[in-house]
Amino acid sequence: MPNAVPATPASLLVEWARTAEGGPFSSVGVVDRVVYECHDPLTTLAAVAEATERIGLVTMVVIGPLRNNAVLAKEAAAIDTVSGGRLTLGLAVGARAEDYTTVGISTKARGDRLTQQLLDLRLFWERDEVAAMTQGPRLLVGGSSDVSFLRMARYADGYIHGGGPPRTFVRAADTAKTAWNELARTASPQLWAQGYFALGDPDTVARGRAYMRDYYAFTGPFAERIAEGMLATPQAVAQFVRGYAEAGCDELVLFPAVAELAQIDLLAGALAEV
Amino acid sequence: MKVTVVGAGPAGLYFSLLYKKARPEADIVVYERNPFGATYGWGVVFSDRTLTSFREADYKTYIQIVDDFIIWDSIDISYRDQVLRCGGQVFSGIARKTLLSLLHERCVELGVTIEHERAVADVGGLSGDLIVAADGVRSVVRDAHADRFRPRFSSGRSRYIWFGTERTFDSFTFAFRANNDGFFQAHAYPFDGQMSTFIVECDQASWRGAGLDRGSEDESIAYCEELFAPELRGHSLRSNNSKWISFETLRNKSWHHDNVVLVGDAAHTAHFSIGSGTKLAMEDSIALVNALLVKDTMPAALSEYQLERKPRVERFQEAARQSQTYFENTRRYQHMEPLQFGFHLLSRSGRIDYDDLRLRDRHFVGAVDRWFTASVADTETTPAIAAPPTFAPLKLRTKTIPNRIAVRAERPEELGAAARSGAGLVLTGFVAVSAHARISPATPGIYTQKQGAEWQRALKTIAGTCVAITLGHSGARGATRARTDMVDVPLGPGEDWPLLASSDIAYTRRSQTPVAMDRDHMDDVTEDFVAAARLARAAGFDLLELHMGHGYLLGSFISPLTNQRTDSWGGAIKDRLRYPLEVLEAVRSEWPDELPVGVALNVSDWAPGGTTLPDAVAAAQALKEHGCDLIRVLAGQTTTAYSPRYDAYFLTHYADRLRNEAGIATLATGDITTVDHANTIVAGGRADLCLLRPL
Ligand SMILES: Cc1cc2nc3c(=O)[nH]c(=O)nc-3n(C[C@H](O)[C@H](O)[C@H](O)COP(=O)(O)OP(=O)(O)OC[C@H]3O[C@@H](n4cnc5c(N)ncnc54)[C@H](O)[C@@H]3O)c2cc1C
């Protein structure tokens, strides 16, 4: 969903999710950012939960350490309950110091705080007085350091890969499986990933790239590369999706870089080729 | 645009000519402290891949360089009075002098100003829109802004000296020699068809043992000439103001600051044994020029350059570090037969594995396969054909494991499928020796007749594959929930049971604090292990493994992080080992002599203050003396706060160290997923068995 594309009306988000539910899609995803013109991820999903019946609801990701653990547990539980168990809560530490400063939290030890948060969430979800739930949503974690993989394997259900061509996912998935296996976890980790797309005429594609450059401006020189990596043709989409599928990705969330409903049909069209 | 370049080495000259070619209007001045034509060092080696980028960057110098190249395709390994040759490599060499004069000429032709005998001392006095620090590893430009670039040097542990010789080697030659003073090696390679580079390297003990730390340059030359007389064939060594030094690896946090940018050795170094700093330096120059051409602003160009180069160079430095570590520890591998020694050497950096070597030289790898098969069969006759080392059997006591691959099967009902996978060894997961020894209520056990019978039924269906049972006691990690969604989360009150450990340290903040074991506890637990071993024997297991890692009960005695006892079971490694050895001994006396016993051992806790490698080597030696035949190499999990490393082969170098220092068979674990990995590990003598990670 384009919840972080500036000037997207809230009504479009609900419409977006409904339209997606009518298409070949299994979930809709939102991103999180404090200091940027965007709709809050959890509130957006709450609205979408009401308006839809089947489609999965995913945060890719919520910046966990910015939020109070008990309150986050409660919010996520509410969305999961109201949607009939459709929420997948993806968490990570986020990349922008700005967001932390604005919330009034230090970036120090945010990795350790996320680790603690994962455990707290799970335990809160079990306790009736906090969340009135038995299980809680599926919990995924992102991050690329070895310690993030360890954190994932200790307390989460799987891993969220931050983006990039399929080969970068292959490497991350390998590490995730190794970390999981080292801890003798049962079954295997869920492996999720994301990408960006803008399909259509050159002007639409250019607007998509401009958005990506702006959204990722904080990464400095990386922004250009990320913008170049945006999927801009049906062929690129097909190749990307095939690559991830072959690498064992369980769910791939493609974010629109342009907030127009027509993008959903264009994406569905591209997927029909896969 | 005005560009000031400091240093007329390969990086500075190549940058200047490339940029001047693209932007003829730019005003480029290079300052070089040395007079024209004066240079240190001898030859430089390139690998084949370098050439494409040079061809695209500047065709003219590419052709000139290639015209002057001498090319060779093999590596010779001179060891124990034989020379092994492995072909299919592509190397090319050129004299540093020739390279520099080609680049210099091209600079002049394009209009770059080069001022010799201009040593830059006052960095603040340099002007220009861009200042390129190409002044080598001791860069004064970098050091003037050390707070911004944040350079970090790490010194290698061995000593080396750089010579030249008129002996013309026709290969990249590694020569190894042991004598009463120690163990020495030479790296020799041709560079202009008449001369060769000859670097001698040794560990510090050998260096002192030979008196090289005290001797004069001439004495060093004489010593090395005599030591490597067979390789030098009567030629002498030539000095170029040569000194014994240790290799310094340089990393910089940042490669640019304002309008100053680092290239080549000023930015990074990588151990000479993996090749070419000159190549890296020239590739930096190409990347910097490209970034300047595509980016509109200087800050954007410089960060683009760093973004492009720094990760690549860091990957290269990591491979170089592995290679350097190998050369610092060659003494450890002196016991190896030549083919294994050679294979190990060629696959040292983790970049070239068994399959790569087979593509390069199938005869060499075929010889390794045949040697390996013969050595395992313990015969003098070398077979005419042989399968890759992974498919060779391994004999432990009277048990023959049909091949070198091990897989896991957590529960009795999973054994059959695992055995049909083709693996030679199936290893159960953690099997508890008592109800209180379980990790969670779901942990399988072997402490009742019924459980024993269940394992026995499962084992009856298996033929040909060996099956090992891992016996353990969870210690401080006991009474937790099954690991379906989390790890180490304690069971609620009423569901849990009392915990035992070496010291009373809770595993997590929420965990129950275990009771520090007294003598009676120890006797009880030992008895549980012995009883479990009896049941395991009756069930028909071929190998018994004791879990002594990952913060479980026996492991909690071994690590200083979890053993804080002040009695005779705590303190030095030999004391921390006392109880685990006692259990091993008791189990060994119950378990038949003809069957092997293994131990899963933490070789590192990945945490400060944890088990050290020397501790682990000492532990492996002691375990071996007490009847252990195989060590499965583990790391981490002793405490919850540890920093893991999950890179490829991440536990293999520990397995290598234990195997070759303690002289015990090892089972490598980690991120091993292919037979190619396994062949690289087994053929190189790094481990005897490999546990495949499920895909
Ligand atoms: C033992 C050994 C073996 C090696 N073997 C190889 C090999 O086989 N192949 C290979 O490719 N590389 C090899 N190298 C590495 C190679 O020498 C360097 O990586 C390469 O020369 C780096 O190029 P550069 O231009 O960055 O620096 P340099 O070649 O060091 O050039 C720096 C230049 O700056 C000048 N300079 C320094 N300070 C000042 C100053 N203050 N003012 C003015 N000028 C200054 C110096 O005189 C010099 O000319 C080896 C290195 C070692 C130590």
Side-chain angles (χ1 to χ4, degrees):
Chain A
M1 293 206 285
N3 77 305
V5 177
T8 302
S11 57
L12 179 85
L13 294 176
V14 172
E15 197 50 39
W16 181 283
R18 274 209 201 99
T19 312
E21 191 166 60
F25 301 102
S26 46
S27 46
V28 286
V30 285
V31 297
D32 186 14
R33 190 149 165 194
V34 177
V35 194
Y36 196 76
E37 189 188 331
C38 77
H39 300 276
D40 176 74
L42 291 169
T43 318
T44 302
L45 288 187
V48 165
E50 261 309 296
T52 54
E53 284 166 8
R54 167 192 71 81
I55 203 155
L57 312 172
V58 192
T59 66
M60 295 286 277
V61 292
V62 158
I63 305 166
L66 295 181
R67 290 169 169 79
N68 173 279
N69 298 356
V71 176
L72 177 59
K74 211 148 179 138
E75 272 185 311
I79 298 169
D80 199 37
T81 312
V82 83
S83 66
R86 285 186 279 147
L87 178 66
T88 296
L89 185 65
L91 297 175
V93 293
R96 306 153 191 103
E98 247 190 320
D99 287 345
Y100 281 80
T101 324
T102 306
V103 173
I105 287 180
S106 148
T107 52
K108 269 219 185 87
R110 56 190 175 169
D112 292 342
R113 291 217 304 278
L114 179 59
T115 306
Q116 186 59 43
Q117 181 171 56
L118 295 170
L119 177 61
D120 284 355
L121 286 175
R122 294 270 204 203
L123 298 177
F124 281 135
W125 285 329
E126 289 178 0
R127 282 160 49 188
D128 288 348
E129 75 274 20
V130 179
M133 302 233 357
T134 47
Q135 267 198 316
R138 182 188 280 144
L139 197 52
L140 306 177
V141 194
S144 55
S145 66
D146 283 334
V147 172
S148 338
F149 285 100
L150 174 59
R151 170 185 307 139
M152 182 283 299
R154 285 191 81 80
Y155 296 122
D157 297 310
Y159 181 71
I160 297 183
H161 179 57
R167 74 189 140 75
T168 62
F169 173 77
V170 171
R171 230 182 298 134
D174 256 341
T175 309
K177 286 186 262 188
T178 299
W180 190 269
N181 191 55
E182 281 286 297
L183 286 174
R185 283 284 300 266
T186 54
S188 38
Q190 282 282 314
L191 299 169
W192 292 41
Q194 63 167 34
Y196 278 95
F197 72 99
L199 297 169
D201 56 30
D203 170 60
T204 310
V205 170
R207 278 186 293 131
R209 289 233 157 84
Y211 162 67
M212 308 263 331
R213 274 192 287 271
D214 184 56
Y215 186 75
Y216 284 104
F218 74 95
T219 65
F222 271 115
E224 191 55 49
R225 297 211 168 178
I226 299 171
E228 275 160 24
M230 185 190 79
L231 307 171
T233 63
Q235 183 268 346
V237 170
Q239 192 172 321
F240 191 79
V241 172
R242 273 291 295 275
Y244 270 85
E246 267 160 33
C249 180
D250 291 298
E251 187 95 354
L252 180 61
V253 180
L254 295 174
F255 284 97
V258 171
E260 287 164 11
L261 280 181
Q263 289 293 315
I264 299 183
D265 265 354
L266 290 168
L267 183 61
L271 291 175
E273 307 291 319
V274 178
Chain B
M1 169 123 151
K2 182 169 183 296
V3 183
T4 302
V5 179
V6 183
L13 292 177
Y14 205 45
F15 166 81
S16 302
L17 75 86
L18 292 180
Y19 195 64
K20 185 73 182 172
K21 192 171 73 153
R23 291 273 186 272
E25 72 282 6
D27 169 15
I28 306 180
V29 182
V30 184
Y31 296 120
E32 167 58 47
R33 68 176 169 203
N34 286 337
F36 178 71
T39 178
Y40 73 91
W42 304 96
V44 295
V45 188
F46 292 99
S47 73
D48 56 336
R49 261 174 301 166
T50 341
L51 306 183
T52 356
S53 59
F54 289 7
R55 186 174 59 204
E56 281 161 21
D58 184 52
Y59 193 72
K60 184 163 181 184
T61 45
Y62 161 76
I63 289 295
Q64 289 173 327
I65 293 170
V66 172
D67 275 353
D68 266 301
F69 263 167
I70 57 143
I71 309 251
W72 65 95
D73 73 352
S74 44
I75 294 177
D76 281 350
I77 299 159
S78 171
Y79 171 74
R80 286 197 194 168
D81 303 324
Q82 33 174 305
V83 179
L84 293 175
R85 172 161 286 211
C86 182
Q89 329 278 334
V90 182
F91 290 110
S92 45
I94 188 168
R96 181 174 157 100
K97 229 179 182 128
T98 312
L99 176 68
L100 289 181
S101 82
L102 288 174
L103 298 178
H104 184 273
E105 219 171 88
R106 181 81 167 128
C107 277
V108 171
E109 173 186 302
L110 290 165
V112 174
T113 312
I114 304 177
E115 299 193 5
H116 282 277
E117 297 178 64
R118 282 283 302 267
V120 170
D122 171 25
V123 174
L126 294 174
S127 64
D129 301 299
L130 176 65
I131 294 168
V132 179
D135 49 346
V137 64
R138 295 280 153 226
S139 170
V140 295
V141 180
R142 179 198 63 225
D143 288 349
H145 302 284
D147 54 326
R148 294 316 179 97
F149 294 116
R150 311 253 297 276
R152 201 159 47 79
F153 283 96
S154 45
S155 294
R157 291 190 320 191
S158 53
R159 290 282 184 274
Y160 75 93
I161 187 164
W162 206 353
F163 295 122
T165 174
E166 269 147 19
R167 160 86 211 276
T168 48
F169 288 91
D170 67 340
S171 68
F172 203 118
T173 298
F174 295 108
F176 299 86
R177 190 116 313 129
N179 65 13
N180 289 335
D181 299 329
F183 196 71
F184 301 82
Q185 61 238 6
H187 311 237
Y189 44 92
F191 69 87
D192 65 358
Q194 327 216 7
M195 291 275 301
S196 301
T197 299
F198 199 95
I199 299 167
V200 179
E201 183 190 14
C202 59
D203 58 32
Q204 291 194 42
S206 306
W207 183 57
R208 297 217 168 78
L212 295 166
D213 55 333
R214 302 175 295 270
S216 66
E217 188 179 359
D218 285 344
E219 283 164 337
S220 285
I221 291 183
Y223 188 90
C224 294
E225 280 174 348
E226 196 194 321
L227 190 62
F228 291 106
E231 286 76 19
L232 288 169
R233 308 251 171 97
H235 290 279
S236 55
L237 288 175
R238 297 242 242 115
S239 158
N240 187 356
N241 192 17
S242 309
K243 287 184 189 60
W244 289 96
I245 47 179
S246 44
F247 188 83
E248 301 226 52
T249 300
L250 165 69
R251 295 177 176 85
N252 278 278
K253 187 98 180 148
S254 176
W255 288 18
H256 61 91
H257 159 58
D258 280 348
N259 62 338
V260 185
V261 62
L262 308 179
V263 290
D265 275 16
H268 49 74
T269 59
H271 194 247
F272 56 83
S273 61
I274 190 172
S276 153
T278 308
K279 169 191 153 193
L280 289 181
M282 292 172 71
E283 285 172 349
D284 284 354
S285 300
I286 295 174
L288 178 57
V289 169
N290 285 345
L292 289 168
L293 297 181
V294 299
K295 293 293 166 182
D296 308 332
T297 66
M298 190 59 75
L302 298 188
S303 57
E304 168 75 17
Y305 158 69
Q306 170 169 339
L307 212 59
E308 170 69 27
R309 286 301 288 165
K310 195 163 176 256
R312 279 174 203 265
V313 167
E314 281 168 352
R315 273 200 297 282
F316 194 83
Q317 284 179 315
E318 176 53 26
R321 191 187 62 78
Q322 307 245 9
S323 177
Q324 174 175 351
T325 306
Y326 165 79
F327 282 108
E328 287 169 356
N329 293 291
T330 43
R331 189 195 272 271
R332 187 186 298 154
Y333 307 108
Q334 280 182 79
H335 64 90
M336 285 184 175
E337 293 290 318
L339 277 162
Q340 182 156 58
F341 185 91
F343 183 90
H344 186 275
L345 162 68
L346 294 168
S347 55
R348 69 191 177 278
S349 72
R351 295 199 311 171
I352 294 175
D353 55 26
Y354 179 90
D355 285 355
D356 295 324
L357 276 177
R358 179 174 283 287
L359 282 178
R360 290 176 193 209
D361 188 341
R362 62 201 157 86
H363 300 291
F364 178 81
V365 174
V368 170
D369 291 347
R370 290 196 305 279
W371 166 79
F372 196 91
T373 303
S375 76
V376 164
D378 215 3
T379 69
E380 292 295 306
T381 22
T382 306
I385 52 163
T390 293
F391 299 98
L394 173 69
K395 200 162 172 208
L396 293 175
R397 303 217 172 199
T398 61
K399 270 289 157 193
T400 299
I401 299 170
N403 62 53
R404 305 309 182 97
I405 300 293
V407 295
R408 294 282 292 268
E410 298 296 326
R411 329 187 60 82
E413 58 274 20
E414 294 166 12
L415 280 183
R420 286 188 297 275
S421 70
L425 179 69
V426 175
L427 205 60
T428 66
F430 182 105
V431 179
V433 296
S434 69
H436 283 189
R438 289 174 302 163
I439 297 166
S440 78
T443 305
I446 187 154
Y447 47 87
T448 65
Q449 293 296 335
K450 187 164 163 271
Q451 289 165 334
E454 220 176 301
W455 287 110
Q456 184 171 26
R457 253 194 315 282
L459 285 167
K460 280 235 167 76
T461 63
I462 296 170
T465 305
C466 288
V467 186
I469 185 167
T470 302
L471 297 184
H473 190 303
S474 54
R477 297 183 78 183
T480 63
R481 301 189 196 175
R483 293 177 181 176
T484 48
D485 51 10
M486 287 182 281
V487 177
D488 295 312
V489 175
L491 292 167
E495 300 170 307
D496 63 350
W497 55 83
L499 304 184
L500 293 174
S502 155
S503 298
D504 52 353
I505 303 169
Y507 192 72
T508 71
R509 281 201 291 132
R510 282 166 209 268
S511 307
Q512 188 193 130
T513 302
V515 170
M517 293 169 74
D518 61 22
R519 185 65 250 179
D520 288 345
H521 292 130
M522 292 186 201
D523 289 341
D524 291 347
V525 170
T526 306
E527 230 168 80
D528 289 339
F529 271 100
V530 171
R534 202 174 300 132
L535 286 172
R537 174 66 200 126
F541 283 101
D542 304 295
L543 193 154
L544 181 142
E545 182 188 66
L546 298 178
H547 206 305
M548 297 194 187
H550 284 176
Y552 298 126
L553 189 138
L554 295 178
S556 79
F557 276 87
I558 299 174
S559 171
L561 292 174
T562 42
N563 181 341
Q564 295 178 355
R565 301 175 73 105
T566 51
D567 59 11
S568 52
W569 291 279
I573 179 67
K574 73 173 202 330
D575 299 310
R576 303 199 307 269
L577 272 170
R578 188 187 305 253
Y579 180 61
L581 288 176
E582 202 179 303
V583 174
L584 171 61
E585 223 164 66
V587 164
R588 190 72 260 189
S589 63
E590 179 65 37
W591 190 249
D593 245 6
E594 64 273 17
L595 294 183
V597 166
V599 166
L601 181 74
N602 258 55
V603 294
S604 166
D605 297 324
W606 277 329
T611 303
T612 63
L613 259 170
D615 278 359
V617 171
Q621 271 156 350
L623 292 164
K624 183 183 172 187
E625 281 158 22
H626 286 76
C628 169
D629 306 291
L630 177 71
I631 291 198
R632 172 156 61 105
V633 175
L634 307 176
Q637 298 188 50
T638 299
T639 56
T640 51
Y642 64 97
S643 305
R645 288 195 56 173
Y646 298 124
D647 43 295
Y649 301 119
F650 66 95
L651 290 174
T652 305
H653 59 275
Y654 294 124
D656 177 330
R657 180 117 181 227
L658 289 200
R659 183 180 189 276
N660 292 298
E661 269 184 39
I664 188 161
T666 53
L667 168 56
T669 67
D671 194 15
I672 304 168
T673 54
T674 65
V675 170
D676 179 30
H677 282 159
N679 278 326
T680 309
I681 292 168
V682 174
R686 296 173 171 92
D688 302 87
L689 287 160
C690 296
L691 185 66
L692 282 204
R693 161 169 74 65
L695 288 175

